[in-house]
Amino acid sequence: MTVEEFSNEFDTLLNSYSNITSFGKSYNSIELDEYEKSLFLSSSQEEIIKELYSGKNQNNDSFEKTEELRRSLGNLIKTYKTSKEVEGNGLSSNSVFFNIPEDVWFITYESAIIKARKCKDYEEISILPITQDNYYKISNNPFRRSNERRALRLDVSSNMVEIISNYNIVEYLIRYLSKPTPIILTDLDNLSIDGINTKTECSLSPIIHRYILERAVQKALVSKGLLSKQQ
């Protein structure tokens, strides 16, 4: 669905809720400008992605459980790897830091390549994400702390991670769900959504476009008091 189709179908669906008199005149037609419609569409897009990712959707399925859901979010899945460490103050003497892309929303898989243990050249190990509050509990637990099979990851900021490993890390790899670009129906001049003010098509699979449109119209109706949040 192009942004023009989004805009036209938004208006059609929205105004199907208008009250029409017997003479064909609408006294309660709903009018939204392109910026308002873009806000509702972009907000709905983010809500639906989070629901699909977490499994809090109609069928309680996570996004990897079915082919349809994987295809719905497939355009947002990216892979990133780096061997470039950056400066940081760690919680452990074994801490190393890596920058990650700014569009990372949810990390779905991560691993590290570590440098040789005795008879091996390189080896891939898993990474366990933990919170800073739990770090000291975990670091004192021999079954949960970093070891020869796994490293620990702490989030330092939105685009930096701290990896704690007993071995030298050669490369850090993540596969992640990226933050979607907003759906913007037309150039917005002095206004913007997530820092973007130019016409922007929906980057998701067409499979999910209809859900986004219907959710956006519902949100618009709620904002105008024509629909309750429960509906």
Side-chain angles (χ1 to χ4, degrees):
M1 194 180 294
T2 65
V3 288
E4 289 79 10
E5 290 170 330
F6 264 117
S7 180
N8 292 335
E9 293 197 35
F10 195 115
D11 290 337
T12 300
L13 189 55
L14 186 68
N15 283 294
S16 67
Y17 288 83
S18 298
N19 294 328
I20 309 298
T21 70
S22 58
F23 296 100
K25 295 181 179 179
S26 172
Y27 292 104
N28 290 304
S29 62
I30 309 164
E31 293 185 6
L32 298 176
D33 60 32
E34 298 301 276
Y35 174 65
E36 291 174 303
K37 288 189 285 186
S38 298
L39 282 175
F40 286 124
L41 288 165
S42 300
S43 173
S44 298
Q45 174 180 242
E46 290 197 4
E47 282 184 5
I48 289 172
I49 292 170
K50 288 176 181 177
E51 289 171 4
L52 292 176
Y53 173 77
S54 65
K56 294 179 180 178
N57 49 71
Q58 186 175 3
N59 297 317
N60 294 317
D61 288 335
S62 66
F63 85 102
E64 290 191 312
K65 189 171 182 180
T66 69
E67 178 73 12
E68 180 181 359
L69 294 179
R70 288 196 298 273
R71 293 293 180 186
S72 296
L73 301 183
N75 292 347
L76 298 181
I77 301 297
K78 298 181 181 180
T79 300
Y80 173 79
K81 57 184 177 180
T82 181
S83 58
K84 184 179 179 181
E85 296 180 20
V86 296
E87 294 293 324
N89 295 316
L91 297 182
S92 167
S93 59
N94 293 328
S95 294
V96 292
F97 295 83
F98 297 100
N99 284 334
I100 58 177
E102 292 185 359
D103 67 342
V104 171
W105 219 14
F106 304 108
I107 295 176
T108 61
Y109 173 84
E110 58 188 320
S111 66
I113 303 297
I114 59 173
K115 209 166 190 179
R117 290 185 288 153
K118 295 185 179 177
C119 300
K120 296 183 179 180
D121 292 330
Y122 297 98
E123 184 177 354
E124 185 174 11
I125 62 173
S126 63
I127 293 181
L128 175 69
I130 63 172
T131 64
Q132 296 183 44
D133 289 343
N134 286 329
Y135 169 68
Y136 286 105
K137 282 183 187 176
I138 291 172
S139 64
N140 291 321
N141 184 329
F143 300 103
R144 300 186 66 193
R145 66 191 180 198
S146 59
N147 55 39
E148 69 275 7
R149 295 183 301 276
R150 69 165 172 263
L152 305 178
R153 186 250 294 171
L154 292 156
D155 293 320
V156 179
S157 65
S158 60
N159 68 331
M160 180 189 286
V161 295
E162 176 181 357
I163 306 297
I164 301 173
S165 172
N166 295 354
Y167 300 89
N168 292 330
I169 294 179
V170 176
E171 186 176 75
Y172 174 59
L173 178 145
I174 61 172
R175 179 160 289 175
Y176 66 96
L177 191 68
S178 60
K179 182 176 173 61
T181 54
I183 302 170
I184 301 179
L185 303 179
T186 189
D187 292 346
L188 298 176
D189 298 326
N190 296 325
L191 299 172
S192 67
I193 300 174
D194 290 345
I196 300 175
N197 64 357
T198 55
K199 176 181 172 181
T200 307
E201 301 283 349
C202 180
S203 59
L204 300 186
S205 165
I207 295 171
I208 204 171
H209 288 186
R210 181 66 53 186
Y211 298 114
I212 294 171
L213 175 65
E214 291 174 353
R215 175 73 62 88
V217 170
Q218 286 181 342
K219 291 170 76 71
L221 291 168
V222 169
S223 75
K224 299 298 182 181
L226 297 177
L227 195 68
S228 67
K229 291 184 179 180
Q230 290 74 29
Q231 289 181 269

mmCIF file of all heavy atoms in Angstrom, residues 128-173:
data_model
loop_
_atom_site.group_PDB
_atom_site.id
_atom_site.type_symbol
_atom_site.label_atom_id
_atom_site.label_comp_id
_atom_site.label_asym_id
_atom_site.label_seq_id
_atom_site.Cartn_x
_atom_site.Cartn_y
_atom_site.Cartn_z
ATOM 1 N N LEU A 128 24.484 -13.822 27.357
ATOM 2 C CA LEU A 128 23.305 -13.725 28.218
ATOM 3 C C LEU A 128 23.080 -12.275 28.612
ATOM 4 O O LEU A 128 23.919 -11.676 29.291
ATOM 5 C CB LEU A 128 23.505 -14.576 29.482
ATOM 6 C CG LEU A 128 22.401 -14.495 30.541
ATOM 7 C CD1 LEU A 128 21.121 -15.150 30.017
ATOM 8 C CD2 LEU A 128 22.857 -15.162 31.835
ATOM 9 N N PRO A 129 21.953 -11.655 28.195
ATOM 10 C CA PRO A 129 21.669 -10.275 28.623
ATOM 11 C C PRO A 129 21.236 -10.252 30.086
ATOM 12 O O PRO A 129 20.429 -11.083 30.513
ATOM 13 C CB PRO A 129 20.527 -9.847 27.697
ATOM 14 C CG PRO A 129 19.869 -11.120 27.288
ATOM 15 C CD PRO A 129 20.944 -12.174 27.254
ATOM 16 N N ILE A 130 21.772 -9.331 30.861
ATOM 17 C CA ILE A 130 21.416 -9.196 32.268
ATOM 18 C C ILE A 130 21.211 -7.725 32.599
ATOM 19 O O ILE A 130 21.620 -6.840 31.843
ATOM 20 C CB ILE A 130 22.500 -9.789 33.200
ATOM 21 C CG1 ILE A 130 23.816 -9.020 33.028
ATOM 22 C CG2 ILE A 130 22.699 -11.275 32.937
ATOM 23 C CD1 ILE A 130 24.877 -9.408 34.040
ATOM 24 N N THR A 131 20.589 -7.459 33.733
ATOM 25 C CA THR A 131 20.421 -6.084 34.199
ATOM 26 C C THR A 131 21.560 -5.733 35.149
ATOM 27 O O THR A 131 22.179 -6.609 35.762
ATOM 28 C CB THR A 131 19.084 -5.906 34.934
ATOM 29 O OG1 THR A 131 19.095 -6.710 36.128
ATOM 30 C CG2 THR A 131 17.919 -6.322 34.055
ATOM 31 N N GLN A 132 21.810 -4.449 35.290
ATOM 32 C CA GLN A 132 22.855 -4.016 36.197
ATOM 33 C C GLN A 132 22.523 -4.381 37.641
ATOM 34 O O GLN A 132 23.408 -4.710 38.428
ATOM 35 C CB GLN A 132 23.073 -2.510 36.057
ATOM 36 C CG GLN A 132 23.580 -2.128 34.673
ATOM 37 C CD GLN A 132 23.880 -0.654 34.541
ATOM 38 O OE1 GLN A 132 24.480 -0.054 35.419
ATOM 39 N NE2 GLN A 132 23.461 -0.056 33.425
ATOM 40 N N ASP A 133 21.235 -4.349 38.004
ATOM 41 C CA ASP A 133 20.823 -4.694 39.366
ATOM 42 C C ASP A 133 21.190 -6.131 39.715
ATOM 43 O O ASP A 133 21.490 -6.436 40.874
ATOM 44 C CB ASP A 133 19.303 -4.511 39.537
ATOM 45 C CG ASP A 133 18.904 -3.048 39.541
ATOM 46 O OD1 ASP A 133 19.788 -2.201 39.741
ATOM 47 O OD2 ASP A 133 17.715 -2.766 39.337
ATOM 48 N N ASN A 134 21.146 -7.014 38.720
ATOM 49 C CA ASN A 134 21.393 -8.433 38.974
ATOM 50 C C ASN A 134 22.835 -8.845 38.748
ATOM 51 O O ASN A 134 23.191 -10.005 38.979
ATOM 52 C CB ASN A 134 20.492 -9.304 38.084
ATOM 53 C CG ASN A 134 19.049 -9.287 38.559
ATOM 54 O OD1 ASN A 134 18.785 -9.150 39.739
ATOM 55 N ND2 ASN A 134 18.126 -9.417 37.619
ATOM 56 N N TYR A 135 23.675 -7.907 38.303
ATOM 57 C CA TYR A 135 25.027 -8.288 37.922
ATOM 58 C C TYR A 135 25.797 -8.956 39.056
ATOM 59 O O TYR A 135 26.398 -10.026 38.884
ATOM 60 C CB TYR A 135 25.813 -7.088 37.406
ATOM 61 C CG TYR A 135 27.281 -7.412 37.269
ATOM 62 C CD1 TYR A 135 27.725 -8.327 36.307
ATOM 63 C CD2 TYR A 135 28.221 -6.856 38.138
ATOM 64 C CE1 TYR A 135 29.070 -8.665 36.201
ATOM 65 C CE2 TYR A 135 29.561 -7.198 38.041
ATOM 66 C CZ TYR A 135 29.977 -8.098 37.066
ATOM 67 O OH TYR A 135 31.295 -8.450 36.983
ATOM 68 N N TYR A 136 25.784 -8.356 40.233
ATOM 69 C CA TYR A 136 26.605 -8.904 41.318
ATOM 70 C C TYR A 136 26.088 -10.250 41.808
ATOM 71 O O TYR A 136 26.866 -11.121 42.192
ATOM 72 C CB TYR A 136 26.717 -7.893 42.454
ATOM 73 C CG TYR A 136 27.634 -6.754 42.092
ATOM 74 C CD1 TYR A 136 27.125 -5.501 41.769
ATOM 75 C CD2 TYR A 136 29.011 -6.953 42.014
ATOM 76 C CE1 TYR A 136 27.960 -4.463 41.391
ATOM 77 C CE2 TYR A 136 29.859 -5.924 41.625
ATOM 78 C CZ TYR A 136 29.335 -4.675 41.326
ATOM 79 O OH TYR A 136 30.169 -3.661 40.940
ATOM 80 N N LYS A 137 24.765 -10.437 41.772
ATOM 81 C CA LYS A 137 24.226 -11.758 42.110
ATOM 82 C C LYS A 137 24.724 -12.800 41.121
ATOM 83 O O LYS A 137 25.179 -13.890 41.496
ATOM 84 C CB LYS A 137 22.687 -11.737 42.059
ATOM 85 C CG LYS A 137 22.018 -11.109 43.256
ATOM 86 C CD LYS A 137 20.508 -11.257 43.064
ATOM 87 C CE LYS A 137 19.772 -10.489 44.173
ATOM 88 N NZ LYS A 137 18.315 -10.547 43.952
ATOM 89 N N ILE A 138 24.641 -12.467 39.849
ATOM 90 C CA ILE A 138 25.022 -13.406 38.801
ATOM 91 C C ILE A 138 26.530 -13.648 38.806
ATOM 92 O O ILE A 138 27.002 -14.773 38.624
ATOM 93 C CB ILE A 138 24.549 -12.878 37.434
ATOM 94 C CG1 ILE A 138 23.016 -12.940 37.361
ATOM 95 C CG2 ILE A 138 25.167 -13.663 36.283
ATOM 96 C CD1 ILE A 138 22.427 -12.280 36.153
ATOM 97 N N SER A 139 27.309 -12.592 39.033
ATOM 98 C CA SER A 139 28.763 -12.735 38.979
ATOM 99 C C SER A 139 29.297 -13.624 40.091
ATOM 100 O O SER A 139 30.390 -14.188 39.975
ATOM 101 C CB SER A 139 29.438 -11.361 39.053
ATOM 102 O OG SER A 139 29.166 -10.730 40.305
ATOM 103 N N ASN A 140 28.527 -13.785 41.173
ATOM 104 C CA ASN A 140 28.939 -14.652 42.279
ATOM 105 C C ASN A 140 28.334 -16.048 42.200
ATOM 106 O O ASN A 140 28.543 -16.867 43.089
ATOM 107 C CB ASN A 140 28.561 -14.012 43.618
ATOM 108 C CG ASN A 140 29.378 -12.770 43.917
ATOM 109 O OD1 ASN A 140 30.576 -12.737 43.641
ATOM 110 N ND2 ASN A 140 28.736 -11.735 44.461
ATOM 111 N N ASN A 141 27.566 -16.279 41.136
ATOM 112 C CA ASN A 141 26.932 -17.585 40.958
ATOM 113 C C ASN A 141 27.695 -18.367 39.892
ATOM 114 O O ASN A 141 27.677 -17.992 38.718
ATOM 115 C CB ASN A 141 25.476 -17.398 40.535
ATOM 116 C CG ASN A 141 24.714 -18.700 40.430
ATOM 117 O OD1 ASN A 141 25.269 -19.745 40.107
ATOM 118 N ND2 ASN A 141 23.416 -18.649 40.680
ATOM 119 N N PRO A 142 28.377 -19.448 40.250
ATOM 120 C CA PRO A 142 29.205 -20.176 39.276
ATOM 121 C C PRO A 142 28.410 -20.767 38.112
ATOM 122 O O PRO A 142 28.976 -21.083 37.057
ATOM 123 C CB PRO A 142 29.852 -21.278 40.121
ATOM 124 C CG PRO A 142 28.935 -21.448 41.292
ATOM 125 C CD PRO A 142 28.392 -20.073 41.567
ATOM 126 N N PHE A 143 27.094 -20.920 38.270
ATOM 127 C CA PHE A 143 26.267 -21.493 37.207
ATOM 128 C C PHE A 143 25.713 -20.432 36.259
ATOM 129 O O PHE A 143 25.184 -20.773 35.201
ATOM 130 C CB PHE A 143 25.113 -22.297 37.812
ATOM 131 C CG PHE A 143 25.569 -23.446 38.682
ATOM 132 C CD1 PHE A 143 25.515 -23.338 40.066
ATOM 133 C CD2 PHE A 143 26.078 -24.607 38.114
ATOM 134 C CE1 PHE A 143 25.936 -24.391 40.867
ATOM 135 C CE2 PHE A 143 26.490 -25.661 38.896
ATOM 136 C CZ PHE A 143 26.437 -25.557 40.287
ATOM 137 N N ARG A 144 25.815 -19.145 36.630
ATOM 138 C CA ARG A 144 25.225 -18.098 35.804
ATOM 139 C C ARG A 144 26.228 -17.055 35.312
ATOM 140 O O ARG A 144 25.948 -16.336 34.365
ATOM 141 C CB ARG A 144 24.105 -17.385 36.585
ATOM 142 C CG ARG A 144 22.979 -18.314 37.021
ATOM 143 C CD ARG A 144 21.851 -17.537 37.659
ATOM 144 N NE ARG A 144 21.185 -16.662 36.691
ATOM 145 C CZ ARG A 144 20.344 -15.697 37.023
ATOM 146 N NH1 ARG A 144 20.075 -15.454 38.297
ATOM 147 N NH2 ARG A 144 19.773 -14.953 36.101
ATOM 148 N N ARG A 145 27.374 -16.948 35.958
ATOM 149 C CA ARG A 145 28.349 -15.941 35.560
ATOM 150 C C ARG A 145 29.015 -16.311 34.224
ATOM 151 O O ARG A 145 28.820 -17.402 33.695
ATOM 152 C CB ARG A 145 29.400 -15.764 36.648
ATOM 153 C CG ARG A 145 30.287 -16.983 36.873
ATOM 154 C CD ARG A 145 31.086 -16.794 38.138
ATOM 155 N NE ARG A 145 31.951 -17.945 38.399
ATOM 156 C CZ ARG A 145 32.480 -18.199 39.581
ATOM 157 N NH1 ARG A 145 32.196 -17.407 40.617
ATOM 158 N NH2 ARG A 145 33.274 -19.240 39.760
ATOM 159 N N SER A 146 29.821 -15.398 33.710
ATOM 160 C CA SER A 146 30.507 -15.661 32.448
ATOM 161 C C SER A 146 31.453 -16.850 32.610
ATOM 162 O O SER A 146 32.079 -17.025 33.652
ATOM 163 C CB SER A 146 31.289 -14.424 32.001
ATOM 164 O OG SER A 146 32.234 -14.047 32.984
ATOM 165 N N ASN A 147 31.527 -17.662 31.566
ATOM 166 C CA ASN A 147 32.391 -18.840 31.608
ATOM 167 C C ASN A 147 32.833 -19.184 30.200
ATOM 168 O O ASN A 147 32.723 -18.366 29.285
ATOM 169 C CB ASN A 147 31.667 -20.021 32.289
ATOM 170 C CG ASN A 147 30.321 -20.338 31.640
ATOM 171 O OD1 ASN A 147 30.185 -20.278 30.419
ATOM 172 N ND2 ASN A 147 29.330 -20.653 32.461
ATOM 173 N N GLU A 148 33.319 -20.413 30.008
ATOM 174 C CA GLU A 148 33.836 -20.796 28.698
ATOM 175 C C GLU A 148 32.741 -20.979 27.656
ATOM 176 O O GLU A 148 33.021 -21.078 26.456
ATOM 177 C CB GLU A 148 34.662 -22.091 28.803
ATOM 178 C CG GLU A 148 33.864 -23.347 29.112
ATOM 179 C CD GLU A 148 33.623 -23.548 30.611
ATOM 180 O OE1 GLU A 148 33.966 -22.628 31.393
ATOM 181 O OE2 GLU A 148 33.098 -24.605 30.983
ATOM 182 N N ARG A 149 31.481 -20.985 28.060
ATOM 183 C CA ARG A 149 30.375 -21.180 27.115
ATOM 184 C C ARG A 149 29.564 -19.924 26.861
ATOM 185 O O ARG A 149 28.795 -19.876 25.906
ATOM 186 C CB ARG A 149 29.436 -22.289 27.616
ATOM 187 C CG ARG A 149 30.074 -23.670 27.675
ATOM 188 C CD ARG A 149 29.074 -24.733 28.096
ATOM 189 N NE ARG A 149 28.503 -24.443 29.410
ATOM 190 C CZ ARG A 149 29.085 -24.777 30.560
ATOM 191 N NH1 ARG A 149 30.256 -25.371 30.546
ATOM 192 N NH2 ARG A 149 28.505 -24.487 31.712
ATOM 193 N N ARG A 150 29.683 -18.931 27.732
ATOM 194 C CA ARG A 150 28.876 -17.727 27.546
ATOM 195 C C ARG A 150 29.547 -16.492 28.136
ATOM 196 O O ARG A 150 30.378 -16.577 29.041
ATOM 197 C CB ARG A 150 27.493 -17.907 28.159
ATOM 198 C CG ARG A 150 27.490 -17.983 29.676
ATOM 199 C CD ARG A 150 26.089 -17.783 30.242
ATOM 200 N NE ARG A 150 26.094 -18.049 31.667
ATOM 201 C CZ ARG A 150 25.742 -19.208 32.222
ATOM 202 N NH1 ARG A 150 25.349 -20.205 31.440
ATOM 203 N NH2 ARG A 150 25.798 -19.371 33.526
ATOM 204 N N ALA A 151 29.131 -15.346 27.606
ATOM 205 C CA ALA A 151 29.511 -14.040 28.129
ATOM 206 C C ALA A 151 28.239 -13.345 28.612
ATOM 207 O O ALA A 151 27.124 -13.794 28.326
ATOM 208 C CB ALA A 151 30.209 -13.224 27.054
ATOM 209 N N LEU A 152 28.415 -12.256 29.335
ATOM 210 C CA LEU A 152 27.276 -11.482 29.839
ATOM 211 C C LEU A 152 27.209 -10.145 29.110
ATOM 212 O O LEU A 152 28.232 -9.576 28.735
ATOM 213 C CB LEU A 152 27.423 -11.235 31.341
ATOM 214 C CG LEU A 152 27.619 -12.464 32.237
ATOM 215 C CD1 LEU A 152 27.803 -12.029 33.683
ATOM 216 C CD2 LEU A 152 26.444 -13.421 32.114
ATOM 217 N N ARG A 153 25.985 -9.661 28.907
ATOM 218 C CA ARG A 153 25.822 -8.350 28.266
ATOM 219 C C ARG A 153 25.013 -7.404 29.142
ATOM 220 O O ARG A 153 23.933 -7.745 29.612
ATOM 221 C CB ARG A 153 25.137 -8.501 26.914
ATOM 222 C CG ARG A 153 25.067 -7.189 26.108
ATOM 223 C CD ARG A 153 23.648 -6.657 26.029
ATOM 224 N NE ARG A 153 22.795 -7.552 25.260
ATOM 225 C CZ ARG A 153 21.468 -7.398 25.186
ATOM 226 N NH1 ARG A 153 20.855 -6.426 25.860
ATOM 227 N NH2 ARG A 153 20.743 -8.253 24.494
ATOM 228 N N LEU A 154 25.541 -6.197 29.330
ATOM 229 C CA LEU A 154 24.839 -5.124 30.025
ATOM 230 C C LEU A 154 24.619 -3.988 29.046
ATOM 231 O O LEU A 154 25.498 -3.676 28.229
ATOM 232 C CB LEU A 154 25.665 -4.608 31.212
ATOM 233 C CG LEU A 154 25.848 -5.562 32.396
ATOM 234 C CD1 LEU A 154 27.093 -5.195 33.180
ATOM 235 C CD2 LEU A 154 24.631 -5.500 33.305
ATOM 236 N N ASP A 155 23.446 -3.360 29.092
ATOM 237 C CA ASP A 155 23.178 -2.203 28.242
ATOM 238 C C ASP A 155 23.686 -0.949 28.933
ATOM 239 O O ASP A 155 23.256 -0.608 30.041
ATOM 240 C CB ASP A 155 21.680 -2.083 27.965
ATOM 241 C CG ASP A 155 21.159 -3.234 27.124
ATOM 242 O OD1 ASP A 155 21.873 -3.644 26.194
ATOM 243 O OD2 ASP A 155 20.052 -3.725 27.402
ATOM 244 N N VAL A 156 24.613 -0.264 28.285
ATOM 245 C CA VAL A 156 25.200 0.951 28.844
ATOM 246 C C VAL A 156 24.394 2.168 28.420
ATOM 247 O O VAL A 156 24.097 3.057 29.210
ATOM 248 C CB VAL A 156 26.667 1.098 28.396
ATOM 249 C CG1 VAL A 156 27.271 2.383 28.949
ATOM 250 C CG2 VAL A 156 27.474 -0.107 28.852
ATOM 251 N N SER A 157 24.024 2.226 27.156
ATOM 252 C CA SER A 157 23.204 3.308 26.603
ATOM 253 C C SER A 157 22.441 2.739 25.426
ATOM 254 O O SER A 157 22.501 1.541 25.144
ATOM 255 C CB SER A 157 24.089 4.484 26.172
ATOM 256 O OG SER A 157 24.939 4.102 25.110
ATOM 257 N N SER A 158 21.732 3.591 24.717
ATOM 258 C CA SER A 158 20.910 3.104 23.607
ATOM 259 C C SER A 158 21.743 2.501 22.487
ATOM 260 O O SER A 158 21.255 1.671 21.725
ATOM 261 C CB SER A 158 20.047 4.249 23.052
ATOM 262 O OG SER A 158 20.874 5.304 22.583
ATOM 263 N N ASN A 159 22.997 2.908 22.365
ATOM 264 C CA ASN A 159 23.818 2.353 21.275
ATOM 265 C C ASN A 159 25.196 1.882 21.751
ATOM 266 O O ASN A 159 26.158 1.882 20.986
ATOM 267 C CB ASN A 159 23.971 3.373 20.142
ATOM 268 C CG ASN A 159 24.805 4.576 20.559
ATOM 269 O OD1 ASN A 159 24.838 4.941 21.727
ATOM 270 N ND2 ASN A 159 25.479 5.184 19.608
ATOM 271 N N MET A 160 25.289 1.458 23.028
ATOM 272 C CA MET A 160 26.536 0.875 23.522
ATOM 273 C C MET A 160 26.230 -0.272 24.476
ATOM 274 O O MET A 160 25.320 -0.176 25.292
ATOM 275 C CB MET A 160 27.395 1.918 24.250
ATOM 276 C CG MET A 160 28.719 1.338 24.773
ATOM 277 S SD MET A 160 29.634 2.482 25.855
ATOM 278 C CE MET A 160 30.238 3.637 24.637
ATOM 279 N N VAL A 161 26.985 -1.371 24.343
ATOM 280 C CA VAL A 161 26.820 -2.512 25.235
ATOM 281 C C VAL A 161 28.147 -2.832 25.909
ATOM 282 O O VAL A 161 29.225 -2.561 25.363
ATOM 283 C CB VAL A 161 26.304 -3.763 24.489
ATOM 284 C CG1 VAL A 161 24.900 -3.525 23.951
ATOM 285 C CG2 VAL A 161 27.253 -4.173 23.372
ATOM 286 N N GLU A 162 28.042 -3.391 27.099
ATOM 287 C CA GLU A 162 29.210 -3.865 27.845
ATOM 288 C C GLU A 162 29.157 -5.391 27.856
ATOM 289 O O GLU A 162 28.179 -5.980 28.300
ATOM 290 C CB GLU A 162 29.167 -3.327 29.274
ATOM 291 C CG GLU A 162 30.279 -3.843 30.174
ATOM 292 C CD GLU A 162 30.181 -3.297 31.600
ATOM 293 O OE1 GLU A 162 29.274 -2.463 31.856
ATOM 294 O OE2 GLU A 162 30.990 -3.705 32.448
ATOM 295 N N ILE A 163 30.203 -6.026 27.347
ATOM 296 C CA ILE A 163 30.287 -7.478 27.312
ATOM 297 C C ILE A 163 31.338 -7.937 28.320
ATOM 298 O O ILE A 163 32.475 -7.449 28.313
ATOM 299 C CB ILE A 163 30.664 -8.002 25.907
ATOM 300 C CG1 ILE A 163 29.702 -7.439 24.843
ATOM 301 C CG2 ILE A 163 30.651 -9.525 25.890
ATOM 302 C CD1 ILE A 163 28.271 -7.853 25.008
ATOM 303 N N ILE A 164 30.936 -8.847 29.192
ATOM 304 C CA ILE A 164 31.838 -9.379 30.207
ATOM 305 C C ILE A 164 32.146 -10.831 29.848
ATOM 306 O O ILE A 164 31.256 -11.671 29.798
ATOM 307 C CB ILE A 164 31.218 -9.294 31.615
ATOM 308 C CG1 ILE A 164 30.896 -7.833 31.953
ATOM 309 C CG2 ILE A 164 32.149 -9.885 32.668
ATOM 310 C CD1 ILE A 164 30.123 -7.649 33.245
ATOM 311 N N SER A 165 33.414 -11.089 29.579
ATOM 312 C CA SER A 165 33.821 -12.430 29.144
ATOM 313 C C SER A 165 35.136 -12.801 29.814
ATOM 314 O O SER A 165 36.003 -11.948 30.044
ATOM 315 C CB SER A 165 33.985 -12.463 27.622
ATOM 316 O OG SER A 165 34.561 -13.690 27.206
ATOM 317 N N ASN A 166 35.300 -14.091 30.089
ATOM 318 C CA ASN A 166 36.556 -14.587 30.655
ATOM 319 C C ASN A 166 37.641 -14.715 29.593
ATOM 320 O O ASN A 166 38.795 -14.974 29.923
ATOM 321 C CB ASN A 166 36.337 -15.959 31.303
ATOM 322 C CG ASN A 166 35.409 -15.889 32.507
ATOM 323 O OD1 ASN A 166 35.011 -14.813 32.939
ATOM 324 N ND2 ASN A 166 35.063 -17.044 33.049
ATOM 325 N N TYR A 167 37.242 -14.543 28.322
ATOM 326 C CA TYR A 167 38.179 -14.714 27.220
ATOM 327 C C TYR A 167 38.162 -13.483 26.321
ATOM 328 O O TYR A 167 37.193 -12.726 26.290
ATOM 329 C CB TYR A 167 37.823 -15.962 26.406
ATOM 330 C CG TYR A 167 37.859 -17.221 27.243
ATOM 331 C CD1 TYR A 167 36.713 -17.654 27.921
ATOM 332 C CD2 TYR A 167 39.025 -17.951 27.391
ATOM 333 C CE1 TYR A 167 36.748 -18.791 28.718
ATOM 334 C CE2 TYR A 167 39.073 -19.090 28.180
ATOM 335 C CZ TYR A 167 37.922 -19.505 28.850
ATOM 336 O OH TYR A 167 37.952 -20.616 29.650
ATOM 337 N N ASN A 168 39.221 -13.277 25.582
ATOM 338 C CA ASN A 168 39.312 -12.138 24.678
ATOM 339 C C ASN A 168 38.301 -12.269 23.549
ATOM 340 O O ASN A 168 38.245 -13.310 22.884
ATOM 341 C CB ASN A 168 40.716 -12.036 24.082
ATOM 342 C CG ASN A 168 41.746 -11.672 25.118
ATOM 343 O OD1 ASN A 168 41.443 -10.985 26.095
ATOM 344 N ND2 ASN A 168 42.983 -12.142 24.929
ATOM 345 N N ILE A 169 37.518 -11.218 23.358
ATOM 346 C CA ILE A 169 36.500 -11.235 22.305
ATOM 347 C C ILE A 169 37.084 -10.693 21.009
ATOM 348 O O ILE A 169 37.598 -9.575 20.963
ATOM 349 C CB ILE A 169 35.264 -10.418 22.732
ATOM 350 C CG1 ILE A 169 34.569 -11.109 23.914
ATOM 351 C CG2 ILE A 169 34.298 -10.259 21.566
ATOM 352 C CD1 ILE A 169 33.363 -10.374 24.428
ATOM 353 N N VAL A 170 36.979 -11.500 19.973
ATOM 354 C CA VAL A 170 37.485 -11.109 18.654
ATOM 355 C C VAL A 170 36.401 -10.382 17.865
ATOM 356 O O VAL A 170 36.680 -9.423 17.135
ATOM 357 C CB VAL A 170 37.962 -12.355 17.872
ATOM 358 C CG1 VAL A 170 38.406 -11.980 16.467
ATOM 359 C CG2 VAL A 170 39.083 -13.045 18.628
ATOM 360 N N GLU A 171 35.158 -10.843 18.012
ATOM 361 C CA GLU A 171 34.061 -10.250 17.235
ATOM 362 C C GLU A 171 32.757 -10.398 18.011
ATOM 363 O O GLU A 171 32.520 -11.415 18.657
ATOM 364 C CB GLU A 171 33.952 -10.943 15.886
ATOM 365 C CG GLU A 171 32.944 -10.324 14.934
ATOM 366 C CD GLU A 171 32.974 -11.013 13.576
ATOM 367 O OE1 GLU A 171 32.450 -12.130 13.470
ATOM 368 O OE2 GLU A 171 33.546 -10.419 12.640
ATOM 369 N N TYR A 172 31.930 -9.363 17.927
ATOM 370 C CA TYR A 172 30.611 -9.363 18.560
ATOM 371 C C TYR A 172 29.566 -9.291 17.460
ATOM 372 O O TYR A 172 29.662 -8.477 16.539
ATOM 373 C CB TYR A 172 30.482 -8.166 19.504
ATOM 374 C CG TYR A 172 29.115 -7.975 20.108
ATOM 375 C CD1 TYR A 172 28.508 -8.962 20.875
ATOM 376 C CD2 TYR A 172 28.418 -6.769 19.941
ATOM 377 C CE1 TYR A 172 27.260 -8.787 21.441
ATOM 378 C CE2 TYR A 172 27.174 -6.578 20.507
ATOM 379 C CZ TYR A 172 26.591 -7.582 21.257
ATOM 380 O OH TYR A 172 25.353 -7.401 21.816
ATOM 381 N N LEU A 173 28.540 -10.167 17.520
ATOM 382 C CA LEU A 173 27.514 -10.243 16.471
ATOM 383 C C LEU A 173 26.122 -10.163 17.086
ATOM 384 O O LEU A 173 25.858 -10.790 18.112
ATOM 385 C CB LEU A 173 27.655 -11.546 15.680
ATOM 386 C CG LEU A 173 26.615 -11.806 14.578
ATOM 387 C CD1 LEU A 173 27.260 -12.526 13.409
ATOM 388 C CD2 LEU A 173 25.426 -12.626 15.091
#
